[in-house]
Each structure stands twice: as C-alpha cells, then as structure tokens.
C-alpha cells in the first residue's frame, strides 16, 4: 500500500485529476524544465488529452521535447501526492497519515513561530530547488519573516556566472541568437539537450543550420562537439587554466578589440601581465589539450565578427567556478563581444515587479542579513542572497554553531540527491526539530519530513513566467487531489504568522500587482499570452556598465576589497593519484530533470538504469564489460552504476549521472545506491561562491561481482 493512502477508512479520497478548463485548445508555457517552451494543451470531454508545441511561440516554434511530451503522464501519475501528510512513524520510514490543509498549515506556522521565538528567525531555513518561477515568492517570504537563510543549488547551478557578471560588468549576459552569432563558444554546456535559461537549445541548432560555427569545450564529445568546428576535450576541472591560456593567446597575437578595451575596460595592463604566466604550452598538460589546439581555438574565437559564449554547469560545479566564469567574461570583453548583436547581451529586466524587486530585500533588517549562513566564508554567494549549504548543515549539526538552525521549510528540492556529501545532508535532516517538504511526490527527502504538503505541477497553476526575452502566462488547467500552489501555501502561512502586510489576501491577487509597472493586468497578459522584451544592444554607450567605474572590471577591485584575487587564478589540482586513477564528473540526463521523472514510463524506458560512462581502455584495465555493474568509490563514499563503454571521453575520465534514485522502490527510493553525491564532499569549495567540486574528483572504479 502506498504510504499516502489513507489509513482511516472514513476518509474519502478525492478524484486524482479535477479539470478546471473548458474543452478546447489552450496556449501555455511548459515547465517540465527551464526551457519555457510555448505549448498547446487540449481539453476534450473534461479531460486533458493532448499536449503539443506551440508553433507560434517565438521561443520554440512548435518544438516539444520528450519531457514536455510526458507532461500529462506527470499530471495523471497515480503516485502524485493528493493531501497533506503528517508523519506517524520514525523519520524516513515513509509512514504518514493524511490531514486537512487547515491543520497542516497551522502546524507549519506553529513550528516556524516556535523557532522564531526560541532561536530567532534565522534558525529557520527556507529551501528551494532549481527555479520554477516562484523563487521570488520564497525570498519575499523569508525576508518578511526575518530569515536571511534561503538555501538553493545556486552555488553549483548558474550563480557563479551571474555573480561574475554582476561584479565584472554590472549584469548577467546571455547568448544573442536573435543577432545570429558568427560563432558560439560552448563551454561545459549541453544546451541542445538541457535547454537552460529560457533560451532553448533549438535556437542554437537553428543558428547552426544558418551558418553559426561552434567551438565546444567539454570532457565529453557531446552531440554538439561532434558537429563543432573545434572540440577542446578539457580535463574535468581545468577550465580556468584553459580560459587564461586563450586570453594569453588573444593578447599575444594582438587580436583583441583595442577600441573597446581602451574606452570601456579597466585593468587591461594587469590582465596582460597576469596571463603572461599562462601560455598554452604551460597549461597543455593539466588541461589535456595540445597547445596548438588552444591557440587555434582562441584565434578563431577572436577573429569571429561576432561570437557568444554559452556557459553551462560544466565549469560551475568546481572549486574554480567563479574564476572560470570571470575569465570567460574577460575573454568576451577584450574581443568586443559584450552587448553586441550576436554576442553576449546584457539582460535588461522586463520591467515587471519580478525577480529583482519582488523579493523585497529591504524587508530584511541589516542585522538579520548579517546572519546569513556562510556569509563569512563565501562572501560573493552571501551577497547574491543565498545561504551556503555546507554552513547550513554545520548550523544544524555543530553544537556550538553561532546561529543554530532547527527548522526547515523545503519547496521543491530533493536535498538528499543534489547536495555534496549526501550522508551529511541526511544527518542534518534527521537532527532538525521540524522539517516540512512541499512537493508533487514522496521523494526520498519528502519521506524524511514531519509534514509533506502536496503541490501542483506546471499544468496546475496560473503563473507569470519571466525569461531572458519575454514575459508570458502559464495557466492552471487542472488540480490533482487537494494539492495547491507554492504561492498559495506561502500566502496562507504569511497570514498565520502576522506577515499579511507584505502579502495579498489571495496569492492570485499578486498577478495583477506584478504586472502594474508595465501597464498590464493578468487578464491582459493571459490574452496576449507572450510579451517579448525589446532587445537593446550597446547599452553601455549611453549608460556605461553597471559597475562603480562604469567600465568592465578586467581587474576587479571590488573583489580585492572583499579579500579575493582581482584576476582569475586556477587552483592546484584537486586530490592526489592515491585518491584514485579516474577523474569523475557528472552530467544531467536528456530524459530527466535533475531527480525528477524516473517514475514516468515514457522517459524511464529511454534510460532505465544509472549509467557510468567509461572508456573501453579503462574498462579493459578494470576487467569491466559493457552492462556490468561497477562500484565507484571516493574518500567520501561508494555507489553502483551500470557500465556503458564510450570513446567519447578520455581514458582517465568517468561520467556519472546526476541525481539518480529508484522511485519504484517505495519510500527512500534506494537513494543510497546510485546517488553520485554520496561521492562528493564539502571540501575544496570555491572561496567566492562556495561551489562544490563535482568535476575532476579522484575515484576508484571496480567490478561488482
Ligand atoms: N553531483 C551533482 N550534483 C548536482 C548537479 C550535478 O550536475 N551533479 N546539478 C546541480 C544543479 S545544476 C541543480 S539545479 C540541483 C538540482 O537540485 P533540485 O532543484 O533539488 O532538483 P530536483 O531533484 O529536481 O528537485 C526538485 C523537486 O521539486 C519538485 N517539484 C517540481 N515542481 C515543483 C513545484 O512547482 N513546486 C514544488 N514545491 N516542488 C516542485 C520535484 O518533484 C522534485 O522533487 O542539483 C545540483 N546537484
Ligand atoms: N534534460 C535535462 N535538462 C536539464 C536538466 C536535467 O537534469 N535534464 N537540468 C537543468 C538544470 S538545473 C541546469 S543547471 C541545466 C544544466 O545544463 P548544462 O550545463 O547544459 O548541463 P550539464 O549536464 O550539467 O553539463 C554540461 C556539460 O558539462 C560537461 N562537463 C562536465 N565536467 C566538466 C568540466 O570539468 N569542464 C567543462 N568545461 N565541462 C564539463 C558535461 O560533460 C556536459 O556536457 O540544465 C537544465 N536542464
Ligand atoms: S525543452 Fe523544457 S520547456 Fe521545452 S518542451 Fe522540453 S521540457 Fe518543456
Ligand atoms: Mo541547475
């Protein structure tokens, strides 16, 4: 019996899916991943029967990937949570009984209030997973409540890049496919399959069809690498050295944009002196790339009339994360590619009460902001508003922590799978006084909660979607059981905790308020459906860059003021050969979204088991054949993965899947068996951002009998 089924025979189960929309075809925005594709949902005879790509949506022009096509499977899945659940057995046993919303919300509010009175608001950590267009709600709630501690995977996702941009040039850049780049430098990104940031991979592929050239930097020969003009097969974790050698080459060959450098940057002489130490010959061994290949790639990039950099998580999950991101921005800057058509365009917020303003940072008193966990260790991460994960676990587990953490409210994050050193995460979750998890499923993390709150997926909510190029409307077509939205839950909790002044009587009222600054309301956006944000280039010519000097800080004095090096520097190699012969890294699967969807048959059938990619020579050395189970061990832990032989990686590199668990195994989902983060640790973090090292981790690989 599934643990969420009522033990009380008088409890009447709700229909699994209640349809809220009229029969017909309805336009909306997919959120099975970050892509933000336009989708059309068909309601027929009171049921959601079909989903297809919206040919009129400028972002995806009709495209819908396998995950998008699995949306209705997700909606109708029999294991969806349908009612709040209260823990009845020991933590992690998965034993719960259903309760009503009023009782559930009262209990969460009481636990938050108790922690606030006893230990201060900072003792409550609000966690969320990768963004699902409600991130600004969670931050607003935390600020209003008085806790500076919002936990998320920002440090290993895309915030190293965001913060490098903010400190270097006052903003965040994205690839300008509208401007038809002559070349795209794809650095540690599998864009064609992962579709990050609301600019999906098909935009890149159609640019390539129209003549855009590619240079790919990745330890794996991905499908993009196979089509690229050049492929630099970098050793995992050696990105900063490679980027500096490319800058060295460009300056040495005098191939940089003199005019832009003179007019719009500071610190060029310092940069030039700094990279003198990184000629391609000096980094060839550590990066695994012959010097002449580095030179040729750098010169091809510099010579391109316009070039953009597609920067993925490859270099951001590493001790050097922030430095690589800075180095790549400097490369773009000196080649004149910033904010030019077909280059790296600075994001201009669309003017709604959105990501930047909606969190109301001013609600958090400065003395509370000073208690952000990890603020003393990783100052740039703290500046971005996120708490540092390792410091959160310390605050739960260390008896003499200066700001103890006792309580967590988690909105949509599978903490046990996605953070370094999963064992330590588990110990911390076990130690909490109170843990509530808001999710669609009883994930391994939700199974550890005192209270689980059922939430609606993307087909079940009205939401404003804010992306690089547009603002659009997502609609609630259905409701699963008695699930609600994150926005509704936070609003209800706010009313119970005396925070009503910062919220609305009903969460949906916020939709109108947020659109007011652009002179629209929700009904109008819903009718319009998609509102493109006008693209502007060369904004710095009139406004300067958003830094103190108004110029691009090649040498970043703000970093020096924080006690960090003002120019990017690669750290020494992580680990020693005694820690293992192989360099481990991980990648996101095309068919899943982080830890989601392994219970959707159409997707699971495409990749039924967790695969370890290993080179045939390495496999032969370890006596492994294709399809064998292998044990992968590091200083931190050991897991099992199924061997897949591939010559797309170097013989000393192995690649594991991110976030693997087995939902079919019931509560807990066998999360210890194949979870790569049992192998990772909180050591070797990036000083600025606290990024964990998931790249180039030394490991042993052996055959499982
Ligand atoms: N080793 C290694 N570790 C990694 C990575 C890696 O590549 N390698 N990747 C890192 C990255 S980039 C990221 S972003 C993180 C991902 O970390 P998480 O964001 O924690 O990822 P998920 O596992 O997808 O967990 C999201 C949960 O939210 C639930 N959910 C979905 N939609 C909603 C919603 O609308 N509301 C609520 N409340 N819940 C919802 C899903 O069911 C799922 O259980 O992992 C990081 N960890
Ligand atoms: N299908 C699918 N789509 C997703 C996700 C998913 O899980 N599945 N997750 C979403 C999330 S949260 C994010 S953040 C994005 C991530 O999107 P991406 O960044 O595109 O995806 P990743 O798979 O994390 O890794 C990108 C590439 O980095 C390479 N890589 C590994 N180690 C290194 C290294 O040391 N250096 C370099 N240069 N490259 C390296 C990997 O081989 C991989 O090809 O995708 C989002 N979209
Ligand atoms: S790329 Fe993402 S947003 Fe687009 S259809 Fe696939 S899952 Fe949906
Ligand atoms: Mo991410």
């Amino acid at each position: 019996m599934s643990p969420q089924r009522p033990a009380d025979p008088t409890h009447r189960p709700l229909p699994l899916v209640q349809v809220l929309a009229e029969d017909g075809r309805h336009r909306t925005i997919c959120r099975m991943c970050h892509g933000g594709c336009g989708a059309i949902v068909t309601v027929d005879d009171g049921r959601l029967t079909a989903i297809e790509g919206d040919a009129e949506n400028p972002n995806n022009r009709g495209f819908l990937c396998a995950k998008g096509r699995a949306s209705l499977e997700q909606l109708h899945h029999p294991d969806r949570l349908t009612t709040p659940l209260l823990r009845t057995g020991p933590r992690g046993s998965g034993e719960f009984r259903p309760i009503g919303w009023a009782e559930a919300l009262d209990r969460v509010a009481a636990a938050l209030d108790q922690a606030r009175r006893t230990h201060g608001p900072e003792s409550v950590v609000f966690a969320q997973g990768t963004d699902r267009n409600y991130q600004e709600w969670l931050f607003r709630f935390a600020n209003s409540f008085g806790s500076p501690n919002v936990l998320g995977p920002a440090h290993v996702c895309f915030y190293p890049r965001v913060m490098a941009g903010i400190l270097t040039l006052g903003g965040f850049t994205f690839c300008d496919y509208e401007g038809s780049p002559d070349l795209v430098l794809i650095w540690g990104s599998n864009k064609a399959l992962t579709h990050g940031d609301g600019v999906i991979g098909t935009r890149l592929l159609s640019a390539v069809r129209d003549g855009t050239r590619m240079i790919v930097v990745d330890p794996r020969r991905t499908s993009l690498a196979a089509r690229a003009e050049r492929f630099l097969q970098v050793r995992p974790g050696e990105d900063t050295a490679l980027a500096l050698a490319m800058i060295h080459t460009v300056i040495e060959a005098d191939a940089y944009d003199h005019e832009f450098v003179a007019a719009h940057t500071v610190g060029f002489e310092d940069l030039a002196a700094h990279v003198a130490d990184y000629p391609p010959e000096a980094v060839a061994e550590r990066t695994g790339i012959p010097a002449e290949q580095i030179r040729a790639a750098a010169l091809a990039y510099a010579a391109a009339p316009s070039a953009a950099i597609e920067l993925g998580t490859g270099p951001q999950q590493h001790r050097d994360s922030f430095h690589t991101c800075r180095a790549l921005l400097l490369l773009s800057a000196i080649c004149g590619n910033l904010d030019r058509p077909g280059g790296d365009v600075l994001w201009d917020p669309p003017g709604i009460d959105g990501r930047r303003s909606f969190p109301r940072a001013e609600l958090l008193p400065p003395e509370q902001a000073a208690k952000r966990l990890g603020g003393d260790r990783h100052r740039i991460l703290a500046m971005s508003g996120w708490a540092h994960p390792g410091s959160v676990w310390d605050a739960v587990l260390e008896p003499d922590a200066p700001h103890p953490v006792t309580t967590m409210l988690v909105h949509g994050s599978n903490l046990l799978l996605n953070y370094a050193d999963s064992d330590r995460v588990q110990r911390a979750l076990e130690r909490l006084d109170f843990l509530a998890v808001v999710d669609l499923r009883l994930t391994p993390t939700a199974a550890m909660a005192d209270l689980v709150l059922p939430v609606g997926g993307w087909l079940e909510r009205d939401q404003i979607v804010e992306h690089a190029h547009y603002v659009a409307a997502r609609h609630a077509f259905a409701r699963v059981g008695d699930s609600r939205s994150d926005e509704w839950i936070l609003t209800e909790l706010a009313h119970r905790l005396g925070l009503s002044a910062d919220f609305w009587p009903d969460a949906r009222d916020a939709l109108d308020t947020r659109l007011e600054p652009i002179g629209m309301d929700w009904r109008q956006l819903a009718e319009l459906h998609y509102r493109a944000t006008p693209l502007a280039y060369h904004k710095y010519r009139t406004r300067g860059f958003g830094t103190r000097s108004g110029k691009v800080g090649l040498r970043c004095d703000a970093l020096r003021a924080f006690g960090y090096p003002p120019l990017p520097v690669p750290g020494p190699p992580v680990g020693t050969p005694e820690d293992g012969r192989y360099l481990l890294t991980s990648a996101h699967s095309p068919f899943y979204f982080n830890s989601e969807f392994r219970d959707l048959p159409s997707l699971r059938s495409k990749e039924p088991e967790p695969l370890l990619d290993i080179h045939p020579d390495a496999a032969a050395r370890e006596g492994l054949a294709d399809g064998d189970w292998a044990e992968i061990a590091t200083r931190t832990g050991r897991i099992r993965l199924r061997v897949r032989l591939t010559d797309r990686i170097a013989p000393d590199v192995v690649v594991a899947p991110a976030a693997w668990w087995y939902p079919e195994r019931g509560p807990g989902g066998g999360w210890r068996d194949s979870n790569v983060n049992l192998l990772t640790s909180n050591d070797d973090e990036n000083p600025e951002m606290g990024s964990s090292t998931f790249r180039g981790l030394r490991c042993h690989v052996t055959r499982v009998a």
Side-chain angles (χ1 to χ4, degrees):
M1 192 171 91
S2 158
Q4 78 206 60
R5 305 266 150 73
D8 169 6
T10 60
H11 180 95
R12 270 191 307 136
L14 290 147
L16 185 65
V17 180
Q18 232 180 303
V19 173
L20 312 174
E22 308 270 294
D23 277 12
R25 283 157 53 80
H26 305 277
R27 305 177 79 186
T28 189
I29 303 289
C30 177
R31 188 48 173 96
M32 291 291 269
C33 88
H34 297 147
C37 293
I40 296 178
V41 172
T42 303
V43 182
D44 187 13
D45 202 13
R47 290 183 316 123
L48 269 64
T49 53
I51 179 161
E52 64 204 279
D54 180 355
E56 284 170 43
N57 185 297
N59 185 33
N60 57 308
R61 300 181 185 129
F63 167 81
L64 206 69
C65 77
K67 296 187 300 308
R69 293 196 301 273
S71 300
L72 299 184
E73 233 175 291
Q74 160 95 324
L75 177 77
H76 294 116
H77 199 285
D79 291 345
R80 282 286 303 269
L81 295 170
T82 56
T83 166
L85 300 173
L86 179 68
R87 180 164 69 83
T88 53
R91 275 232 166 109
S93 63
E95 291 165 35
F96 294 95
R97 74 177 166 82
I99 58 172
W101 272 105
E103 183 188 352
L105 292 165
D106 287 347
R107 281 179 182 267
V108 178
L112 265 55
D113 188 46
Q114 168 80 23
R116 174 168 69 174
R117 288 165 196 270
T118 318
H119 308 285
E122 65 278 9
S123 68
V124 179
V125 167
F126 298 93
Q128 69 153 66
T130 192
D131 185 32
R132 292 184 171 79
N133 306 105
Y134 61 79
Q135 170 170 312
E136 52 271 39
W137 279 82
L138 195 70
F139 269 97
R140 187 183 182 107
F141 188 92
N143 288 333
S144 173
F145 182 82
S147 175
N149 293 318
V150 179
L151 174 71
H155 63 310
V156 287
C157 184
F158 86 135
Y159 264 71
R161 171 179 149 210
V162 170
M163 294 312 289
I166 287 175
L167 280 147
T168 307
L169 42 98
F172 163 73
T173 60
F174 57 89
C175 279
D176 178 35
Y177 295 114
E178 316 290 318
S180 308
D182 182 65
L183 185 145
V184 181
L185 175 57
I186 297 164
W187 202 297
S189 163
N190 200 6
K191 187 80 176 181
L193 299 171
T194 52
H195 311 289
D197 310 326
V199 183
I200 62 169
T202 49
R203 301 294 291 277
L204 167 64
L205 297 178
S206 74
V208 169
R209 269 194 300 279
D210 293 343
T212 294
R213 299 173 298 136
M214 293 188 284
I215 298 177
V216 171
V217 179
D218 201 298
R220 292 191 301 163
R221 198 171 70 247
T222 58
S223 57
L224 287 174
R227 296 174 61 178
E229 176 179 288
R230 291 164 205 283
F231 168 44
L232 304 184
Q233 190 161 31
V234 68
R235 278 162 66 81
E238 296 295 354
D239 298 278
T240 304
L242 177 61
L244 291 175
M246 289 176 72
I247 297 175
H248 173 106
T249 303
V250 170
I251 295 178
E252 179 192 54
D254 198 18
Y256 61 94
D257 182 334
H258 287 253
E259 222 173 292
F260 182 88
V261 165
H264 302 292
T265 69
V266 291
F268 181 77
E269 295 308 321
D270 298 298
L271 175 65
H274 178 66
V275 296
D277 292 342
Y278 299 93
E281 289 71 19
V283 306
E285 196 184 323
R286 69 180 292 184
T287 60
I289 307 168
E292 59 279 16
Q293 278 188 33
I294 300 175
R295 277 218 163 75
L299 295 176
Y301 171 83
S306 66
I309 303 181
E310 193 68 80
L311 178 49
T313 64
Q316 298 189 73
Q317 302 181 347
H318 189 259
R319 195 249 345 261
D320 290 351
S321 63
F322 185 75
H323 294 247
T324 311
C325 294
R326 275 248 312 141
L328 291 176
L329 285 171
L330 304 193
L331 179 65
S332 170
I334 64 167
C335 293
N337 283 320
L338 289 178
D339 224 22
R340 77 142 57 135
D344 301 306
V345 173
L346 268 156
W347 182 59
D348 232 359
I352 66 166
D353 186 4
R355 283 165 180 273
R356 283 201 184 160
S357 56
F358 193 83
R360 296 290 182 279
E362 67 279 7
L363 293 174
L364 188 70
E367 66 277 14
Q368 284 306 104
K371 296 176 190 163
R372 182 162 298 135
L373 292 164
D376 48 342
R377 280 156 72 176
H378 304 288
R379 299 178 68 185
I380 308 301
L381 178 70
M383 197 178 145
S384 76
W386 296 97
H388 167 238
S391 302
V392 169
W393 318 134
D394 289 350
V396 180
L397 292 168
E398 307 291 340
D400 51 355
H403 302 301
V405 166
T406 60
T407 301
M408 271 179 89
L409 173 62
V410 180
H411 277 262
S413 184
N414 206 344
L415 302 169
L416 286 177
L417 275 301
N418 292 313
Y419 286 87
D421 195 353
S422 307
D423 270 329
R424 188 164 172 79
V425 178
Q426 186 193 30
R427 284 198 296 280
L429 298 184
E430 269 167 357
R431 181 73 65 81
L432 290 170
D433 290 348
F434 181 81
L435 170 65
V437 174
V438 186
D439 207 299
L440 287 78
R441 299 296 175 82
L442 199 66
T443 64
T445 304
M448 294 197 63
D450 300 295
L451 251 167
V452 181
L453 302 178
V455 79
W458 76 270
L459 289 163
E460 304 153 54
R461 53 178 65 192
D462 288 327
Q463 236 179 8
I464 296 169
V465 181
E466 185 183 352
H467 269 316
H469 295 294
Y470 60 90
V471 175
R474 173 174 295 138
H475 301 284
F477 300 124
R479 185 203 269 184
V480 170
D482 202 9
S483 63
R484 306 295 167 98
S485 70
D486 297 275
E487 294 89 330
W488 182 88
I489 293 167
L490 290 169
T491 303
E492 291 300 312
L493 289 174
H495 295 322
R496 283 167 169 79
L497 286 159
L499 312 176
S500 301
D502 301 325
F503 287 82
W504 293 261
D506 183 298
R508 294 195 75 255
D509 301 335
L511 294 168
D512 285 337
T513 317
R514 297 184 61 189
L515 293 167
E516 247 165 48
I518 56 165
M520 279 188 126
D521 62 20
W522 171 248
R523 198 183 43 79
Q524 288 167 313
L525 181 66
E527 258 163 43
L528 186 69
H529 173 63
Y530 180 101
R531 178 184 182 272
T533 311
L535 257 185
Y537 301 110
H538 304 302
K539 299 181 278 291
Y540 57 86
R541 287 184 185 158
T542 47
R543 310 181 196 160
F545 285 96
T547 53
R548 189 170 290 182
S549 62
K551 298 186 177 191
V552 177
L554 300 177
R555 180 196 70 235
C556 181
D557 297 323
L559 283 172
R560 183 146 50 199
F562 279 117
Y564 297 120
L567 286 158
V569 267
V574 171
T576 66
E578 287 71 60
D579 296 321
R581 187 194 285 272
Y582 300 101
L583 299 174
L584 172 73
T585 188
S586 49
H588 290 122
S589 159
F591 307 111
Y592 304 120
F593 190 67
N594 304 318
S595 77
E596 285 192 84
F597 311 150
R598 283 171 188 77
D599 42 10
L600 302 185
S602 71
L603 297 174
R604 183 68 177 270
S605 61
K606 297 207 165 69
E607 201 176 293
E609 288 179 315
L611 299 172
L612 176 76
D613 279 342
I614 184 167
H615 192 275
D617 295 352
R621 186 191 301 119
E622 306 303 337
L624 285 163
D626 201 56
D628 280 352
W629 283 95
E631 181 178 272
I632 301 84
T634 64
R635 270 188 285 176
T636 317
R638 54 195 62 235
I639 61 168
R640 284 172 180 216
L641 301 169
R642 182 81 89 176
V643 166
R644 173 167 70 182
L645 299 185
T646 175
D647 64 0
R648 290 168 170 251
I649 52 177
D652 62 343
V653 170
V654 291
V655 186
W660 189 278
W661 62 297
Y662 302 85
E664 66 278 14
R665 295 192 189 167
W671 70 271
R672 301 191 59 84
D673 287 4
S674 302
N675 166 15
V676 69
N677 281 327
L678 281 163
L679 307 180
T680 61
S681 78
N682 292 300
D683 307 335
D684 296 313
E685 288 177 327
N686 171 257
E688 291 85 355
M689 292 299 299
S691 315
S692 319
T693 290
F694 297 158
R695 311 307 191 189
L697 215 61
R698 293 249 170 209
C699 70
H700 301 276
V701 178
T702 49
R703 187 161 180 274
V704 176

